[in-house]
Amino acid sequence: MNSTNPGTINHEGIVQKADDKSVIVSISTASACSGCHAEGSCTLSGKEEKIIEVSGSYNVKPGDTVIILMKQSMGYTALFLGYLLPLIAVIAILIILISMKVPELGAGLISLAMLIPYYIVLFFFRKRINEKFTFTLKA
């Protein structure tokens, strides 16, 4: 992740497909151990490829190296929806159940089980959420 402009997150990627409506870009993310000499034999090293669709028409062709730009505030929103809000919900439900004298094991399991409907709701609203996350290209 690079950031040259304040408030912007940049990732370098390679164009996989481009047409008049959108551009598909592949981003390779590597873990912190990517520079280690034992990376090839270590099972802890993680290199992951992500596919990003950027709406709009750009003058690029497959194989071109581009930079994908995203507002930093969108990253915070994704962090909030994916991690912070579920954590707050689990802790709140746990506190409520314990204050209602539910045994700790049951309260813990119920509060963790509440994550299942939360992520199901996120799954069903994924298209609406994706509309708020917009990416742009810099060639």
Side-chain angles (χ1 to χ4, degrees):
M1 175 177 73
N2 302 325
S3 186
T4 54
N5 295 343
T8 304
I9 299 172
N10 305 340
H11 283 284
E12 189 174 289
I14 298 173
V15 175
Q16 300 295 315
K17 179 182 170 190
D19 57 30
D20 294 338
K21 296 179 185 175
S22 65
V23 176
I24 307 291
V25 180
S26 170
I27 298 174
S28 291
T29 58
S31 68
C33 24
S34 63
C36 177
H37 69 282
E39 177 193 10
S41 59
C42 179
T43 59
L44 295 177
S45 66
K47 192 167 187 179
E48 193 177 325
E49 184 177 63
K50 295 180 180 158
I51 305 296
I52 305 291
E53 182 175 357
V54 181
S55 298
S57 179
Y58 295 92
N59 187 20
V60 293
K61 60 185 183 305
D64 286 352
T65 300
V66 295
I67 296 175
I68 295 182
L69 305 169
M70 179 181 82
K71 289 183 184 174
Q72 192 169 8
S73 61
M74 289 189 295
Y76 291 138
T77 302
L79 181 69
F80 179 76
L81 290 174
Y83 297 105
L84 195 57
L85 187 59
L87 175 66
I88 292 167
V90 166
I91 292 172
I93 292 168
L94 183 63
I95 291 170
I96 290 168
L97 291 175
I98 289 176
S99 70
M100 295 172 55
K101 306 291 187 222
V102 175
E104 288 180 0
L105 178 62
L109 292 175
I110 291 169
S111 62
L112 286 176
M114 295 305 285
L115 290 174
I116 295 169
Y118 175 78
Y119 284 110
I120 289 172
V121 168
L122 274 186
F123 177 77
F124 285 117
F125 284 99
R126 71 186 181 275
K127 289 184 182 178
R128 180 180 273 176
I129 293 170
N130 279 341
E131 289 173 1
K132 297 184 188 285
F133 291 93
T134 56
F135 298 94
T136 56
L137 280 186
K138 180 176 161 184

